[in-house]
Amino acid sequence: MKRWGLSKAALATVLCTSMMLAACSDNSSSDTGQSPAPGSTGSPAAKTEEVVTLRLLVIETGTSWNTYPNSAIAQEIAKKVGVKIEYVEADDSKFSVLLAGGDLPDIIRAEPAKYGKQLIEGNLIIPMDNMLEQYGKDIKNNVPILVNYSRENWSEGKKQLYFLSPQIQSEPSSIYKPLTIGPTIRWDLYKDIGAPEFNTPDELLDVLEQIVKKHPVTADGKKMYGVSMFQDWGLWPYVVPFSWHTMQTTNNSDLMARKLGETQYRNILTDEASTFWVAMDFYNKAYMRGLLDPDALTMKYNDYLAKATAGQIVIGPAMWAMGDFNTKFANEGKGYVVLPVGKSAWSGGVNPLGWTGKSYSISKSSKHPEKAMEFLNYLYSYEGARTLFSGVEGVHWDMADGKPKLKEEVLALKTAGGAAWSQTGINIDPNLMGLGSAVIDPKTNTPIDLFATNEALANGITLLEQDFSKHYGGLHPGDVLAKRIKEGKLIDNNTNVAGLTTEQIILEGKVGLPAIPEDLHRVEAQVKELAARYAARLILAGNDSQFATIKKEAIKAFTDAGVEKFTEFYVNDYAQRRQTTGALPAKLNN
């Protein structure tokens, strides 16, 4: 296998090229030139007009876009669309305050089934229909299923287009990329104890105990912890990190989870086999074994990243949650990898309706709604999506024999990582891509994500990834995953759709999620607050008897707060949606 090396001089050359492109446009001043045709993503923005700043509201913290405001991707968007994007971060509480105030940023990213009623009936967002013909031709042509579904289901009966969800992909990819979510372990420390296989949370605790016993402190003397958490993402740390074992994921409500292969949701607080209770059991045992970071119940996401960067956490929930440790130690082959263990992998699948929880709408408060529409259209164009996934033509890739091909130095730049790579802006926020990575550009008959080919995955591989792949007998981490799925050792979302026809896949994707009524929103909020409070008590329980007592008290408190009423609505609504759409009947696989 060939591995691209990159000297400091070469890194500087690539970075300078990206920076030079970034310097070509000043977002705060006017340019001169010709105006593009409306809705055209291929022609430069009008140089006689100012580059407009659009503020994008997201319900999450720790995003990276604002850190690199002059990235090559940001400057390409300014060049092609005439806009500069600025993120506005919010948690649920801040988002609620902004909604109540009514003066929202230009673009809002939120779940329509959860916030659509408040946004539409509160006259906070505008329909896009009148702008679609002039400024949204790529949206019309490339995602018609989404447009029609959104009008029918996300408009509070108005039959208008208010929301557009990203990552639209109706066909599964045959190429497996490296896992980014799952048991994300310090590979060098794991190998140092013999890389013992584990497939359950209890077995993982044994592994963590061995590692911490052998490596109680970091190289610079900081205390090592088996596991930690961050507490500013709601119930996230009690849901997502254990999907590899429970095969359950939530959607527009943290309270309801669906198991891979199931067609119905269950409540994670009242179902004692759910991902929430698996998490409670795991964290409590980690606490009693001395493996849990004492800051885990109060720490914010950014503080978590700092501890991961310092190498103080043995295992985490995802690659993007482990800070810059891999970059710092890239030359030594140390770092975090996601292990292909347990029952399922967070990989594959199709999304005819995309990632609905990250859907975009245009604020009524925006002074530049047409520019917002042009920007959204760019996200759903083949050119725009390829740029976001793969970089700028002529800078990061070139056309060769009618096919786009990544430059070798760019593959090496990605392998090296760090600020030089981040400064490109490539794939810095997957929630921005209107189209999924495996979508084929009809002009070149190639995937829009040029990094998601076997050639690119094998060539752009780090020392760490080489060692990991060699251990499992694969060419690259994605190849390792593909082989384990083929051998039946893991299942993923591709497994889930393997027996369905294209028509059935589309029907499944069009089911949609329950739009939660306002009274049940209040129930949900109250129950989530209770769950967070009881989680802390459960995790810090001193023995099994105390844990069982608190668990019984917690379930009663959830019930008294109305969790069963919420569950009944959600389950019945979802079952009716499946029936109306013609999808498979709603069913649990107990």
Side-chain angles (χ1 to χ4, degrees):
M1 175 178 14
K2 184 176 181 182
R3 186 177 74 87
W4 301 110
L6 192 65
S7 67
K8 291 182 179 178
L11 271 171
T13 299
V14 176
L15 179 57
C16 284
T17 305
S18 295
M19 294 292 283
M20 285 172 65
L21 178 71
C24 289
S25 170
D26 181 348
N27 289 334
S28 62
S29 62
S30 300
D31 296 313
T32 60
Q34 297 300 312
S35 176
S40 170
T41 58
S43 54
K47 293 187 177 181
T48 55
E49 63 180 352
E50 286 191 18
V51 173
V52 169
T53 295
L54 297 178
R55 300 171 74 231
L56 170 59
L57 176 61
V58 298
I59 313 174
E60 56 193 279
T61 57
T63 60
S64 299
W65 185 273
N66 291 351
T67 308
Y68 305 97
N70 294 314
S71 71
I73 301 304
Q75 295 302 328
E76 184 71 359
I77 292 172
K79 172 185 172 184
K80 292 297 176 71
V81 189
V83 303
K84 176 183 178 180
I85 299 301
E86 179 183 296
Y87 278 36
V88 178
E89 296 183 357
D91 56 17
D92 285 332
S93 297
K94 180 179 177 180
F95 187 68
S96 296
V97 171
L98 289 170
L99 288 181
D103 187 16
L104 298 173
D106 300 273
I107 299 172
I108 300 100
R109 186 161 82 192
E111 166 64 65
K114 187 172 184 178
Y115 294 107
K117 184 179 180 67
Q118 192 172 356
L119 287 167
I120 294 171
E121 294 187 355
N123 200 25
L124 299 175
I125 58 176
I126 62 173
M128 306 178 198
D129 305 79
N130 291 339
M131 296 185 290
L132 201 60
E133 189 62 42
Q134 187 175 8
Y135 302 108
K137 290 182 178 178
D138 290 298
I139 293 171
K140 282 184 61 180
N141 294 335
N142 298 343
V143 290
I145 291 174
L146 170 64
V147 170
N148 292 333
Y149 183 90
S150 183
R151 284 172 171 157
E152 290 294 322
N153 297 275
W154 295 338
S155 68
E156 297 301 314
K158 296 179 183 294
K159 309 294 184 183
Q160 292 178 296
L161 179 66
Y162 286 95
F163 292 98
L164 291 167
S165 51
Q167 292 282 349
I168 305 298
Q169 184 173 311
S170 296
E171 296 289 337
S173 173
S174 60
I175 305 297
Y176 277 88
K177 294 189 287 186
L179 286 170
T180 58
I181 296 179
T184 309
I185 202 165
R186 272 282 301 276
W187 177 251
D188 50 311
L189 303 185
Y190 181 53
K191 275 200 72 180
D192 193 43
I193 64 164
E197 287 274 346
F198 66 87
N199 283 293
T200 68
D202 280 346
E203 290 171 353
L204 170 57
L205 285 168
D206 294 337
V207 168
L208 297 181
E209 195 164 52
Q210 289 182 62
I211 292 175
V212 172
K213 184 177 180 180
K214 192 169 184 180
H215 300 276
V217 295
T218 64
D220 56 355
K222 293 185 175 72
K223 185 169 175 55
M224 186 81 78
Y225 302 106
V227 65
S228 189
M229 285 179 278
F230 42 90
Q231 297 296 332
D232 47 346
W233 285 21
L235 299 183
W236 198 95
Y238 309 134
V239 178
V240 175
F242 298 92
S243 62
W244 60 273
H245 177 68
T246 65
M247 301 191 291
Q248 296 175 9
T249 55
T250 57
N251 220 309
N252 67 328
S253 172
D254 281 347
L255 303 185
M256 305 300 294
R258 197 173 89 170
K259 194 173 182 179
L260 194 63
E262 289 184 335
T263 53
Q264 182 55 283
Y265 284 85
R266 66 184 74 222
N267 190 287
I268 65 168
L269 301 183
T270 55
D271 184 338
E272 296 186 37
S274 76
T275 185
F276 178 83
W277 290 108
V278 168
M280 292 301 101
D281 181 71
F282 175 86
Y283 289 129
N284 176 246
K285 288 176 178 176
Y287 166 71
M288 289 196 289
R289 291 196 193 194
L291 298 171
L292 183 67
D293 178 2
D295 295 330
L297 294 173
T298 57
M299 194 155 47
K300 303 290 188 182
Y301 179 64
N302 287 333
D303 297 321
Y304 181 95
L305 292 180
K307 271 196 177 175
T309 297
Q312 291 183 264
I313 303 170
V314 177
I315 200 162
M319 286 297 295
W320 38 259
M322 307 319 293
D324 293 326
F325 187 90
N326 283 27
T327 299
K328 285 174 59 179
F329 294 96
N331 293 334
E332 299 177 36
K334 296 179 180 179
Y336 293 94
V337 295
V338 181
L339 295 178
V341 298
K343 300 175 183 178
S344 67
W346 195 301
S347 174
V350 294
N351 295 287
L353 295 180
W355 297 352
T356 63
K358 306 294 183 179
S359 296
Y360 293 95
S361 57
I362 299 175
S363 166
K364 188 179 181 182
S365 303
S366 176
K367 294 182 174 62
H368 308 285
E370 293 85 3
K371 276 298 179 187
M373 190 78 233
E374 282 189 72
F375 169 68
L376 293 180
N377 186 69
Y378 185 73
L379 304 184
Y380 291 86
S381 69
Y382 293 113
E383 178 190 356
R386 169 165 286 146
T387 299
L388 290 164
F389 271 118
S390 309
V392 179
E393 182 177 5
V395 177
H396 305 108
W397 56 272
D398 292 312
M399 293 297 293
D401 300 322
K403 304 285 185 183
K405 184 176 178 60
L406 287 166
K407 294 186 176 185
E408 294 182 6
E409 60 266 29
V410 173
L411 279 170
L413 186 65
K414 182 178 184 296
T415 300
W421 169 250
S422 297
Q423 182 60 51
T424 67
I426 295 172
N427 206 5
I428 202 166
D429 183 1
N431 299 306
L432 275 178
M433 288 69 159
L435 307 176
S437 65
V439 168
I440 302 297
D441 182 349
K443 288 184 179 179
T444 60
N445 198 33
T446 57
I448 56 176
D449 184 358
L450 302 181
F451 291 96
T453 66
N454 272 320
E455 179 185 9
L457 289 168
N459 288 340
I461 190 170
T462 65
L463 288 171
L464 171 65
E465 291 169 331
Q466 282 188 54
D467 190 51
F468 168 85
S469 303
K470 181 180 178 181
H471 177 83
Y472 285 105
L475 296 175
H476 55 80
D479 186 47
V480 169
L481 174 61
K483 288 182 176 180
R484 288 179 82 83
I485 289 173
K486 186 176 181 180
E487 293 166 358
K489 294 178 180 178
L490 284 172
I491 63 172
D492 73 339
N493 286 301
N494 282 355
T495 315
N496 206 31
V497 300
L500 301 180
T501 64
T502 301
E503 291 74 17
Q504 287 174 317
I505 290 173
I506 296 293
L507 289 177
E508 289 293 311
K510 291 172 68 175
V511 172
L513 296 167
I516 303 168
E518 189 173 343
D519 61 327
L520 291 182
H521 257 314
R522 290 192 291 270
V523 171
E524 179 191 34
Q526 182 181 355
V527 172
K528 283 172 63 176
E529 185 179 343
L530 281 170
R533 291 210 306 264
Y534 274 104
R537 291 180 58 194
L538 286 157
I539 290 166
L540 299 179
N543 54 56
D544 292 344
S545 175
Q546 187 180 4
F547 183 92
T549 299
I550 298 171
K551 180 178 181 179
K552 184 177 180 181
E553 181 185 333
I555 293 176
K556 182 180 185 304
F558 302 150
T559 303
D560 291 345
V563 72
E564 291 181 346
K565 180 182 178 183
F566 181 91
T567 304
E568 182 182 7
F569 160 78
Y570 201 98
V571 166
N572 290 340
D573 185 282
Y574 188 69
Q576 183 60 49
R577 286 170 176 271
R578 299 193 71 87
Q579 183 178 351
T580 301
T581 306
L584 297 172
K587 180 176 176 293
L588 295 175
N589 298 334
N590 288 328

